Amino acid sequence: NILVQKKWLYIVTGPTGSGKSTSLVAMLQHINQHRAENIITIEDPVEFIFKPDKCLISQREVGNDTLSFPNALKYAMREDPDIVFVWEIRDRETAESVLKITESWHIVFTTLHTPSAALTINRFISFFPPDIQHSIGDRLSEVLLGVQAQILVKTKDQKNRVGVYEVMFNTTAIRNNIRERDIPQINSIIETSSGRGMVSMTKYAERLYQSGIISDQTRERISEKKLGAL
């Protein structure tokens, strides 16, 4: 379970308006209610005000409380946090800071604007120059817990929206593929690893279609990776 871990990096991805922040707030709120931890959030903007329960929670807003994500992460480490939430990785500096924090036995939750788990790995590594991407892949493979990609689509009756998810966990097979930069193979591993808790967006959409929640057209567009205007 990702919510009982003491170390690792968990990335939630998807387009703007796909509910990434809502998913992460729910995860952090669960931890707040069940674990005694020191949580620091770095956000742009702050969208949800946490009420401390079992956790000590400090929320920082870029622009008001800190100059940038890397700057906030630098000073956050002086407060000995257990869990750090980084609203978004936008550049190499933030990606490097996230790696360093996770490597020093902390949990980091963060987001990227990528449509799938495999492309998230590729995007993270591409923040860095080509001459060090191999070593970055090695480091990422050692600290990554998993990636959750999500989109919101209209229900069959067009009255509501529902989440469609892809979940990848960093198993031995995934770790080897990250190290070797064999990113396309990751999709195949996800498809065949439901027993390990993974699910592809295509299979998740199929379940929603079979349950009568989304239309066949929406299911087909997700399967074909045509995710615009869903």
Side-chain angles (χ1 to χ4, degrees), residues 97-133:
S97 297
V98 163
L99 276 179
K100 287 181 178 178
I101 291 172
T102 313
E103 288 168 339
S104 58
W105 285 90
H106 297 81
I107 306 169
V108 178
F109 293 96
T110 190
T111 73
L112 276 171
H113 285 281
T114 41
S116 70
L119 290 177
T120 298
I121 304 301
N122 208 43
R123 176 61 176 148
F124 190 100
I125 295 173
S126 71
F127 280 118
F128 299 86
D131 60 318
I132 64 169
Q133 286 183 358

PDB file of all heavy atoms in Angstrom, residues 97-133:
ATOM      1  N   SER A  97      16.020  17.905  -7.100  1.00  0.00           N
ATOM      2  CA  SER A  97      15.697  18.035  -5.676  1.00  0.00           C
ATOM      3  C   SER A  97      14.813  16.898  -5.200  1.00  0.00           C
ATOM      4  O   SER A  97      15.004  16.352  -4.102  1.00  0.00           O
ATOM      5  CB  SER A  97      15.009  19.380  -5.419  1.00  0.00           C
ATOM      6  OG  SER A  97      15.845  20.466  -5.726  1.00  0.00           O
ATOM      7  N   VAL A  98      13.838  16.524  -6.029  1.00  0.00           N
ATOM      8  CA  VAL A  98      12.939  15.418  -5.684  1.00  0.00           C
ATOM      9  C   VAL A  98      13.723  14.116  -5.535  1.00  0.00           C
ATOM     10  O   VAL A  98      13.499  13.341  -4.597  1.00  0.00           O
ATOM     11  CB  VAL A  98      11.829  15.293  -6.746  1.00  0.00           C
ATOM     12  CG1 VAL A  98      11.134  13.935  -6.654  1.00  0.00           C
ATOM     13  CG2 VAL A  98      10.809  16.419  -6.584  1.00  0.00           C
ATOM     14  N   LEU A  99      14.648  13.867  -6.455  1.00  0.00           N
ATOM     15  CA  LEU A  99      15.473  12.658  -6.359  1.00  0.00           C
ATOM     16  C   LEU A  99      16.288  12.649  -5.067  1.00  0.00           C
ATOM     17  O   LEU A  99      16.337  11.644  -4.347  1.00  0.00           O
ATOM     18  CB  LEU A  99      16.420  12.573  -7.550  1.00  0.00           C
ATOM     19  CG  LEU A  99      15.889  11.977  -8.848  1.00  0.00           C
ATOM     20  CD1 LEU A  99      16.979  12.003  -9.910  1.00  0.00           C
ATOM     21  CD2 LEU A  99      15.373  10.561  -8.652  1.00  0.00           C
ATOM     22  N   LYS A 100      16.925  13.765  -4.757  1.00  0.00           N
ATOM     23  CA  LYS A 100      17.776  13.838  -3.567  1.00  0.00           C
ATOM     24  C   LYS A 100      16.975  13.616  -2.288  1.00  0.00           C
ATOM     25  O   LYS A 100      17.413  12.920  -1.371  1.00  0.00           O
ATOM     26  CB  LYS A 100      18.484  15.193  -3.515  1.00  0.00           C
ATOM     27  CG  LYS A 100      19.597  15.351  -4.537  1.00  0.00           C
ATOM     28  CD  LYS A 100      20.259  16.712  -4.417  1.00  0.00           C
ATOM     29  CE  LYS A 100      21.407  16.860  -5.399  1.00  0.00           C
ATOM     30  NZ  LYS A 100      22.040  18.209  -5.321  1.00  0.00           N
ATOM     31  N   ILE A 101      15.794  14.211  -2.229  1.00  0.00           N
ATOM     32  CA  ILE A 101      14.968  14.059  -1.029  1.00  0.00           C
ATOM     33  C   ILE A 101      14.539  12.606  -0.862  1.00  0.00           C
ATOM     34  O   ILE A 101      14.586  12.045   0.233  1.00  0.00           O
ATOM     35  CB  ILE A 101      13.732  14.980  -1.108  1.00  0.00           C
ATOM     36  CG1 ILE A 101      14.168  16.440  -0.998  1.00  0.00           C
ATOM     37  CG2 ILE A 101      12.733  14.647   0.003  1.00  0.00           C
ATOM     38  CD1 ILE A 101      13.052  17.418  -1.244  1.00  0.00           C
ATOM     39  N   THR A 102      14.136  11.981  -1.948  1.00  0.00           N
ATOM     40  CA  THR A 102      13.692  10.589  -1.863  1.00  0.00           C
ATOM     41  C   THR A 102      14.848   9.674  -1.496  1.00  0.00           C
ATOM     42  O   THR A 102      14.688   8.727  -0.714  1.00  0.00           O
ATOM     43  CB  THR A 102      13.069  10.142  -3.198  1.00  0.00           C
ATOM     44  OG1 THR A 102      12.154  11.131  -3.654  1.00  0.00           O
ATOM     45  CG2 THR A 102      12.314   8.834  -3.021  1.00  0.00           C
ATOM     46  N   GLU A 103      16.024   9.938  -2.037  1.00  0.00           N
ATOM     47  CA  GLU A 103      17.203   9.126  -1.742  1.00  0.00           C
ATOM     48  C   GLU A 103      17.628   9.225  -0.280  1.00  0.00           C
ATOM     49  O   GLU A 103      18.291   8.331   0.239  1.00  0.00           O
ATOM     50  CB  GLU A 103      18.365   9.548  -2.647  1.00  0.00           C
ATOM     51  CG  GLU A 103      18.182   9.116  -4.091  1.00  0.00           C
ATOM     52  CD  GLU A 103      19.164   9.767  -5.045  1.00  0.00           C
ATOM     53  OE1 GLU A 103      19.724  10.830  -4.707  1.00  0.00           O
ATOM     54  OE2 GLU A 103      19.368   9.222  -6.145  1.00  0.00           O
ATOM     55  N   SER A 104      17.226  10.310   0.384  1.00  0.00           N
ATOM     56  CA  SER A 104      17.574  10.476   1.799  1.00  0.00           C
ATOM     57  C   SER A 104      16.459   9.973   2.726  1.00  0.00           C
ATOM     58  O   SER A 104      16.281  10.471   3.830  1.00  0.00           O
ATOM     59  CB  SER A 104      17.900  11.941   2.104  1.00  0.00           C
ATOM     60  OG  SER A 104      16.812  12.785   1.783  1.00  0.00           O
ATOM     61  N   TRP A 105      15.712   8.980   2.245  1.00  0.00           N
ATOM     62  CA  TRP A 105      14.691   8.279   3.024  1.00  0.00           C
ATOM     63  C   TRP A 105      13.532   9.180   3.431  1.00  0.00           C
ATOM     64  O   TRP A 105      13.195   9.337   4.603  1.00  0.00           O
ATOM     65  CB  TRP A 105      15.297   7.573   4.242  1.00  0.00           C
ATOM     66  CG  TRP A 105      16.039   6.344   3.832  1.00  0.00           C
ATOM     67  CD1 TRP A 105      17.358   6.265   3.488  1.00  0.00           C
ATOM     68  CD2 TRP A 105      15.490   5.034   3.661  1.00  0.00           C
ATOM     69  NE1 TRP A 105      17.676   4.977   3.113  1.00  0.00           N
ATOM     70  CE2 TRP A 105      16.546   4.186   3.219  1.00  0.00           C
ATOM     71  CE3 TRP A 105      14.222   4.476   3.844  1.00  0.00           C
ATOM     72  CZ2 TRP A 105      16.365   2.839   2.950  1.00  0.00           C
ATOM     73  CZ3 TRP A 105      14.031   3.134   3.577  1.00  0.00           C
ATOM     74  CH2 TRP A 105      15.102   2.334   3.142  1.00  0.00           C
ATOM     75  N   HIS A 106      12.911   9.765   2.423  1.00  0.00           N
ATOM     76  CA  HIS A 106      11.670  10.503   2.605  1.00  0.00           C
ATOM     77  C   HIS A 106      10.674  10.015   1.556  1.00  0.00           C
ATOM     78  O   HIS A 106      11.054   9.427   0.547  1.00  0.00           O
ATOM     79  CB  HIS A 106      11.884  12.012   2.433  1.00  0.00           C
ATOM     80  CG  HIS A 106      12.809  12.601   3.437  1.00  0.00           C
ATOM     81  ND1 HIS A 106      14.178  12.526   3.311  1.00  0.00           N
ATOM     82  CD2 HIS A 106      12.569  13.276   4.589  1.00  0.00           C
ATOM     83  CE1 HIS A 106      14.748  13.132   4.345  1.00  0.00           C
ATOM     84  NE2 HIS A 106      13.799  13.588   5.140  1.00  0.00           N
ATOM     85  N   ILE A 107       9.407  10.288   1.809  1.00  0.00           N
ATOM     86  CA  ILE A 107       8.370  10.004   0.824  1.00  0.00           C
ATOM     87  C   ILE A 107       8.061  11.297   0.084  1.00  0.00           C
ATOM     88  O   ILE A 107       7.858  12.340   0.721  1.00  0.00           O
ATOM     89  CB  ILE A 107       7.078   9.494   1.481  1.00  0.00           C
ATOM     90  CG1 ILE A 107       7.353   8.290   2.375  1.00  0.00           C
ATOM     91  CG2 ILE A 107       6.034   9.134   0.419  1.00  0.00           C
ATOM     92  CD1 ILE A 107       6.174   7.909   3.236  1.00  0.00           C
ATOM     93  N   VAL A 108       8.019  11.244  -1.240  1.00  0.00           N
ATOM     94  CA  VAL A 108       7.667  12.416  -2.041  1.00  0.00           C
ATOM     95  C   VAL A 108       6.486  12.057  -2.943  1.00  0.00           C
ATOM     96  O   VAL A 108       6.526  11.060  -3.663  1.00  0.00           O
ATOM     97  CB  VAL A 108       8.856  12.903  -2.900  1.00  0.00           C
ATOM     98  CG1 VAL A 108       8.430  14.099  -3.754  1.00  0.00           C
ATOM     99  CG2 VAL A 108      10.043  13.286  -2.017  1.00  0.00           C
ATOM    100  N   PHE A 109       5.460  12.880  -2.880  1.00  0.00           N
ATOM    101  CA  PHE A 109       4.342  12.804  -3.813  1.00  0.00           C
ATOM    102  C   PHE A 109       4.444  14.015  -4.735  1.00  0.00           C
ATOM    103  O   PHE A 109       4.670  15.135  -4.274  1.00  0.00           O
ATOM    104  CB  PHE A 109       3.003  12.853  -3.075  1.00  0.00           C
ATOM    105  CG  PHE A 109       2.708  11.662  -2.217  1.00  0.00           C
ATOM    106  CD1 PHE A 109       2.990  11.685  -0.862  1.00  0.00           C
ATOM    107  CD2 PHE A 109       2.145  10.511  -2.756  1.00  0.00           C
ATOM    108  CE1 PHE A 109       2.715  10.589  -0.054  1.00  0.00           C
ATOM    109  CE2 PHE A 109       1.861   9.415  -1.967  1.00  0.00           C
ATOM    110  CZ  PHE A 109       2.154   9.451  -0.612  1.00  0.00           C
ATOM    111  N   THR A 110       4.268  13.803  -6.032  1.00  0.00           N
ATOM    112  CA  THR A 110       4.360  14.917  -6.964  1.00  0.00           C
ATOM    113  C   THR A 110       3.542  14.632  -8.218  1.00  0.00           C
ATOM    114  O   THR A 110       2.961  13.548  -8.358  1.00  0.00           O
ATOM    115  CB  THR A 110       5.836  15.196  -7.329  1.00  0.00           C
ATOM    116  OG1 THR A 110       5.926  16.428  -8.054  1.00  0.00           O
ATOM    117  CG2 THR A 110       6.426  14.068  -8.169  1.00  0.00           C
ATOM    118  N   THR A 111       3.500  15.611  -9.129  1.00  0.00           N
ATOM    119  CA  THR A 111       2.720  15.457 -10.360  1.00  0.00           C
ATOM    120  C   THR A 111       3.538  15.851 -11.585  1.00  0.00           C
ATOM    121  O   THR A 111       4.511  16.605 -11.501  1.00  0.00           O
ATOM    122  CB  THR A 111       1.439  16.334 -10.344  1.00  0.00           C
ATOM    123  OG1 THR A 111       1.791  17.712 -10.527  1.00  0.00           O
ATOM    124  CG2 THR A 111       0.675  16.171  -9.046  1.00  0.00           C
ATOM    125  N   LEU A 112       3.107  15.337 -12.725  1.00  0.00           N
ATOM    126  CA  LEU A 112       3.632  15.724 -14.037  1.00  0.00           C
ATOM    127  C   LEU A 112       2.465  15.774 -15.017  1.00  0.00           C
ATOM    128  O   LEU A 112       1.429  15.128 -14.798  1.00  0.00           O
ATOM    129  CB  LEU A 112       4.665  14.713 -14.532  1.00  0.00           C
ATOM    130  CG  LEU A 112       6.111  14.854 -14.043  1.00  0.00           C
ATOM    131  CD1 LEU A 112       6.925  13.644 -14.470  1.00  0.00           C
ATOM    132  CD2 LEU A 112       6.739  16.124 -14.594  1.00  0.00           C
ATOM    133  N   HIS A 113       2.644  16.518 -16.104  1.00  0.00           N
ATOM    134  CA  HIS A 113       1.601  16.592 -17.135  1.00  0.00           C
ATOM    135  C   HIS A 113       1.930  15.603 -18.244  1.00  0.00           C
ATOM    136  O   HIS A 113       2.354  15.989 -19.341  1.00  0.00           O
ATOM    137  CB  HIS A 113       1.497  18.006 -17.689  1.00  0.00           C
ATOM    138  CG  HIS A 113       0.831  18.972 -16.768  1.00  0.00           C
ATOM    139  ND1 HIS A 113      -0.541  19.043 -16.611  1.00  0.00           N
ATOM    140  CD2 HIS A 113       1.348  19.881 -15.918  1.00  0.00           C
ATOM    141  CE1 HIS A 113      -0.841  19.965 -15.725  1.00  0.00           C
ATOM    142  NE2 HIS A 113       0.297  20.496 -15.283  1.00  0.00           N
ATOM    143  N   THR A 114       1.756  14.322 -17.963  1.00  0.00           N
ATOM    144  CA  THR A 114       2.006  13.282 -18.953  1.00  0.00           C
ATOM    145  C   THR A 114       0.812  12.329 -18.986  1.00  0.00           C
ATOM    146  O   THR A 114       0.149  12.124 -17.964  1.00  0.00           O
ATOM    147  CB  THR A 114       3.292  12.506 -18.626  1.00  0.00           C
ATOM    148  OG1 THR A 114       3.351  12.277 -17.208  1.00  0.00           O
ATOM    149  CG2 THR A 114       4.515  13.293 -19.028  1.00  0.00           C
ATOM    150  N   PRO A 115       0.525  11.714 -20.145  1.00  0.00           N
ATOM    151  CA  PRO A 115      -0.705  10.930 -20.279  1.00  0.00           C
ATOM    152  C   PRO A 115      -0.611   9.463 -19.859  1.00  0.00           C
ATOM    153  O   PRO A 115      -1.621   8.772 -19.829  1.00  0.00           O
ATOM    154  CB  PRO A 115      -1.018  11.033 -21.776  1.00  0.00           C
ATOM    155  CG  PRO A 115       0.333  11.163 -22.417  1.00  0.00           C
ATOM    156  CD  PRO A 115       1.159  11.961 -21.457  1.00  0.00           C
ATOM    157  N   SER A 116       0.603   8.969 -19.565  1.00  0.00           N
ATOM    158  CA  SER A 116       0.734   7.553 -19.219  1.00  0.00           C
ATOM    159  C   SER A 116       1.941   7.349 -18.305  1.00  0.00           C
ATOM    160  O   SER A 116       2.810   8.229 -18.187  1.00  0.00           O
ATOM    161  CB  SER A 116       0.907   6.691 -20.474  1.00  0.00           C
ATOM    162  OG  SER A 116       2.185   6.916 -21.058  1.00  0.00           O
ATOM    163  N   ALA A 117       1.994   6.171 -17.690  1.00  0.00           N
ATOM    164  CA  ALA A 117       3.103   5.861 -16.789  1.00  0.00           C
ATOM    165  C   ALA A 117       4.427   5.822 -17.541  1.00  0.00           C
ATOM    166  O   ALA A 117       5.433   6.386 -17.095  1.00  0.00           O
ATOM    167  CB  ALA A 117       2.842   4.524 -16.098  1.00  0.00           C
ATOM    168  N   ALA A 118       4.440   5.161 -18.693  1.00  0.00           N
ATOM    169  CA  ALA A 118       5.680   5.037 -19.459  1.00  0.00           C
ATOM    170  C   ALA A 118       6.205   6.401 -19.890  1.00  0.00           C
ATOM    171  O   ALA A 118       7.400   6.686 -19.778  1.00  0.00           O
ATOM    172  CB  ALA A 118       5.453   4.154 -20.679  1.00  0.00           C
ATOM    173  N   LEU A 119       5.327   7.259 -20.374  1.00  0.00           N
ATOM    174  CA  LEU A 119       5.756   8.588 -20.808  1.00  0.00           C
ATOM    175  C   LEU A 119       6.183   9.450 -19.630  1.00  0.00           C
ATOM    176  O   LEU A 119       6.977  10.384 -19.790  1.00  0.00           O
ATOM    177  CB  LEU A 119       4.632   9.268 -21.589  1.00  0.00           C
ATOM    178  CG  LEU A 119       4.342   8.660 -22.970  1.00  0.00           C
ATOM    179  CD1 LEU A 119       3.155   9.356 -23.620  1.00  0.00           C
ATOM    180  CD2 LEU A 119       5.575   8.757 -23.872  1.00  0.00           C
ATOM    181  N   THR A 120       5.688   9.151 -18.442  1.00  0.00           N
ATOM    182  CA  THR A 120       6.112   9.863 -17.245  1.00  0.00           C
ATOM    183  C   THR A 120       7.575   9.573 -16.947  1.00  0.00           C
ATOM    184  O   THR A 120       8.350  10.481 -16.614  1.00  0.00           O
ATOM    185  CB  THR A 120       5.245   9.460 -16.038  1.00  0.00           C
ATOM    186  OG1 THR A 120       3.883   9.827 -16.308  1.00  0.00           O
ATOM    187  CG2 THR A 120       5.710  10.141 -14.767  1.00  0.00           C
ATOM    188  N   ILE A 121       7.965   8.310 -17.061  1.00  0.00           N
ATOM    189  CA  ILE A 121       9.369   7.936 -16.873  1.00  0.00           C
ATOM    190  C   ILE A 121      10.242   8.672 -17.875  1.00  0.00           C
ATOM    191  O   ILE A 121      11.277   9.254 -17.535  1.00  0.00           O
ATOM    192  CB  ILE A 121       9.554   6.413 -17.044  1.00  0.00           C
ATOM    193  CG1 ILE A 121       8.652   5.635 -16.084  1.00  0.00           C
ATOM    194  CG2 ILE A 121      11.018   6.031 -16.861  1.00  0.00           C
ATOM    195  CD1 ILE A 121       8.881   5.931 -14.634  1.00  0.00           C
ATOM    196  N   ASN A 122       9.819   8.663 -19.117  1.00  0.00           N
ATOM    197  CA  ASN A 122      10.569   9.319 -20.181  1.00  0.00           C
ATOM    198  C   ASN A 122      10.690  10.819 -19.927  1.00  0.00           C
ATOM    199  O   ASN A 122      11.759  11.416 -20.109  1.00  0.00           O
ATOM    200  CB  ASN A 122       9.875   9.068 -21.518  1.00  0.00           C
ATOM    201  CG  ASN A 122      10.836   9.098 -22.689  1.00  0.00           C
ATOM    202  OD1 ASN A 122      11.929   8.553 -22.617  1.00  0.00           O
ATOM    203  ND2 ASN A 122      10.428   9.751 -23.757  1.00  0.00           N
ATOM    204  N   ARG A 123       9.589  11.425 -19.514  1.00  0.00           N
ATOM    205  CA  ARG A 123       9.573  12.868 -19.264  1.00  0.00           C
ATOM    206  C   ARG A 123      10.493  13.233 -18.109  1.00  0.00           C
ATOM    207  O   ARG A 123      11.248  14.216 -18.187  1.00  0.00           O
ATOM    208  CB  ARG A 123       8.147  13.326 -18.963  1.00  0.00           C
ATOM    209  CG  ARG A 123       8.017  14.795 -18.585  1.00  0.00           C
ATOM    210  CD  ARG A 123       8.496  15.699 -19.696  1.00  0.00           C
ATOM    211  NE  ARG A 123       8.291  17.099 -19.386  1.00  0.00           N
ATOM    212  CZ  ARG A 123       9.085  18.082 -19.797  1.00  0.00           C
ATOM    213  NH1 ARG A 123      10.135  17.820 -20.539  1.00  0.00           N
ATOM    214  NH2 ARG A 123       8.840  19.326 -19.478  1.00  0.00           N
ATOM    215  N   PHE A 124      10.459  12.474 -17.036  1.00  0.00           N
ATOM    216  CA  PHE A 124      11.302  12.767 -15.878  1.00  0.00           C
ATOM    217  C   PHE A 124      12.774  12.737 -16.277  1.00  0.00           C
ATOM    218  O   PHE A 124      13.532  13.657 -15.971  1.00  0.00           O
ATOM    219  CB  PHE A 124      11.043  11.762 -14.758  1.00  0.00           C
ATOM    220  CG  PHE A 124      11.696  12.116 -13.452  1.00  0.00           C
ATOM    221  CD1 PHE A 124      10.962  12.707 -12.440  1.00  0.00           C
ATOM    222  CD2 PHE A 124      13.052  11.883 -13.234  1.00  0.00           C
ATOM    223  CE1 PHE A 124      11.556  13.060 -11.233  1.00  0.00           C
ATOM    224  CE2 PHE A 124      13.661  12.231 -12.044  1.00  0.00           C
ATOM    225  CZ  PHE A 124      12.908  12.821 -11.037  1.00  0.00           C
ATOM    226  N   ILE A 125      13.174  11.696 -16.979  1.00  0.00           N
ATOM    227  CA  ILE A 125      14.573  11.560 -17.373  1.00  0.00           C
ATOM    228  C   ILE A 125      14.973  12.650 -18.360  1.00  0.00           C
ATOM    229  O   ILE A 125      16.101  13.140 -18.337  1.00  0.00           O
ATOM    230  CB  ILE A 125      14.819  10.156 -17.960  1.00  0.00           C
ATOM    231  CG1 ILE A 125      14.614   9.084 -16.877  1.00  0.00           C
ATOM    232  CG2 ILE A 125      16.220  10.038 -18.549  1.00  0.00           C
ATOM    233  CD1 ILE A 125      14.671   7.656 -17.382  1.00  0.00           C
ATOM    234  N   SER A 126      14.030  13.080 -19.210  1.00  0.00           N
ATOM    235  CA  SER A 126      14.349  14.075 -20.242  1.00  0.00           C
ATOM    236  C   SER A 126      14.576  15.476 -19.681  1.00  0.00           C
ATOM    237  O   SER A 126      15.030  16.364 -20.411  1.00  0.00           O
ATOM    238  CB  SER A 126      13.231  14.127 -21.293  1.00  0.00           C
ATOM    239  OG  SER A 126      12.059  14.724 -20.772  1.00  0.00           O
ATOM    240  N   PHE A 127      14.273  15.698 -18.397  1.00  0.00           N
ATOM    241  CA  PHE A 127      14.605  16.982 -17.781  1.00  0.00           C
ATOM    242  C   PHE A 127      16.120  17.195 -17.743  1.00  0.00           C
ATOM    243  O   PHE A 127      16.592  18.319 -17.627  1.00  0.00           O
ATOM    244  CB  PHE A 127      14.058  17.054 -16.350  1.00  0.00           C
ATOM    245  CG  PHE A 127      12.601  17.396 -16.257  1.00  0.00           C
ATOM    246  CD1 PHE A 127      11.700  16.510 -15.688  1.00  0.00           C
ATOM    247  CD2 PHE A 127      12.119  18.618 -16.723  1.00  0.00           C
ATOM    248  CE1 PHE A 127      10.358  16.827 -15.580  1.00  0.00           C
ATOM    249  CE2 PHE A 127      10.775  18.940 -16.627  1.00  0.00           C
ATOM    250  CZ  PHE A 127       9.887  18.042 -16.059  1.00  0.00           C
ATOM    251  N   PHE A 128      16.876  16.113 -17.839  1.00  0.00           N
ATOM    252  CA  PHE A 128      18.325  16.164 -17.678  1.00  0.00           C
ATOM    253  C   PHE A 128      19.028  16.052 -19.022  1.00  0.00           C
ATOM    254  O   PHE A 128      18.483  15.470 -19.963  1.00  0.00           O
ATOM    255  CB  PHE A 128      18.774  15.032 -16.746  1.00  0.00           C
ATOM    256  CG  PHE A 128      18.179  15.120 -15.366  1.00  0.00           C
ATOM    257  CD1 PHE A 128      16.924  14.573 -15.097  1.00  0.00           C
ATOM    258  CD2 PHE A 128      18.859  15.756 -14.338  1.00  0.00           C
ATOM    259  CE1 PHE A 128      16.362  14.664 -13.835  1.00  0.00           C
ATOM    260  CE2 PHE A 128      18.309  15.848 -13.071  1.00  0.00           C
ATOM    261  CZ  PHE A 128      17.061  15.309 -12.813  1.00  0.00           C
ATOM    262  N   PRO A 129      20.253  16.568 -19.137  1.00  0.00           N
ATOM    263  CA  PRO A 129      20.994  16.479 -20.402  1.00  0.00           C
ATOM    264  C   PRO A 129      21.347  15.039 -20.749  1.00  0.00           C
ATOM    265  O   PRO A 129      21.484  14.189 -19.856  1.00  0.00           O
ATOM    266  CB  PRO A 129      22.248  17.322 -20.143  1.00  0.00           C
ATOM    267  CG  PRO A 129      22.372  17.414 -18.663  1.00  0.00           C
ATOM    268  CD  PRO A 129      20.985  17.345 -18.119  1.00  0.00           C
ATOM    269  N   PRO A 130      21.494  14.737 -22.032  1.00  0.00           N
ATOM    270  CA  PRO A 130      21.720  13.355 -22.490  1.00  0.00           C
ATOM    271  C   PRO A 130      22.893  12.649 -21.823  1.00  0.00           C
ATOM    272  O   PRO A 130      22.829  11.444 -21.584  1.00  0.00           O
ATOM    273  CB  PRO A 130      21.964  13.531 -23.996  1.00  0.00           C
ATOM    274  CG  PRO A 130      21.229  14.776 -24.356  1.00  0.00           C
ATOM    275  CD  PRO A 130      21.369  15.681 -23.168  1.00  0.00           C
ATOM    276  N   ASP A 131      23.950  13.390 -21.489  1.00  0.00           N
ATOM    277  CA  ASP A 131      25.136  12.728 -20.964  1.00  0.00           C
ATOM    278  C   ASP A 131      24.966  12.169 -19.553  1.00  0.00           C
ATOM    279  O   ASP A 131      25.787  11.362 -19.108  1.00  0.00           O
ATOM    280  CB  ASP A 131      26.341  13.682 -20.991  1.00  0.00           C
ATOM    281  CG  ASP A 131      26.113  14.931 -20.156  1.00  0.00           C
ATOM    282  OD1 ASP A 131      25.002  15.487 -20.212  1.00  0.00           O
ATOM    283  OD2 ASP A 131      27.049  15.356 -19.454  1.00  0.00           O
ATOM    284  N   ILE A 132      23.908  12.581 -18.841  1.00  0.00           N
ATOM    285  CA  ILE A 132      23.683  12.014 -17.504  1.00  0.00           C
ATOM    286  C   ILE A 132      22.345  11.274 -17.391  1.00  0.00           C
ATOM    287  O   ILE A 132      21.968  10.833 -16.309  1.00  0.00           O
ATOM    288  CB  ILE A 132      23.775  13.094 -16.407  1.00  0.00           C
ATOM    289  CG1 ILE A 132      22.659  14.142 -16.578  1.00  0.00           C
ATOM    290  CG2 ILE A 132      25.150  13.741 -16.383  1.00  0.00           C
ATOM    291  CD1 ILE A 132      22.535  15.065 -15.379  1.00  0.00           C
ATOM    292  N   GLN A 133      21.636  11.133 -18.512  1.00  0.00           N
ATOM    293  CA  GLN A 133      20.322  10.496 -18.446  1.00  0.00           C
ATOM    294  C   GLN A 133      20.399   9.038 -18.015  1.00  0.00           C
ATOM    295  O   GLN A 133      19.496   8.529 -17.344  1.00  0.00           O
ATOM    296  CB  GLN A 133      19.601  10.615 -19.795  1.00  0.00           C
ATOM    297  CG  GLN A 133      19.089  12.026 -20.055  1.00  0.00           C
ATOM    298  CD  GLN A 133      18.312  12.144 -21.355  1.00  0.00           C
ATOM    299  OE1 GLN A 133      18.176  11.180 -22.107  1.00  0.00           O
ATOM    300  NE2 GLN A 133      17.804  13.334 -21.629  1.00  0.00           N
TER     301      GLN A 133
END
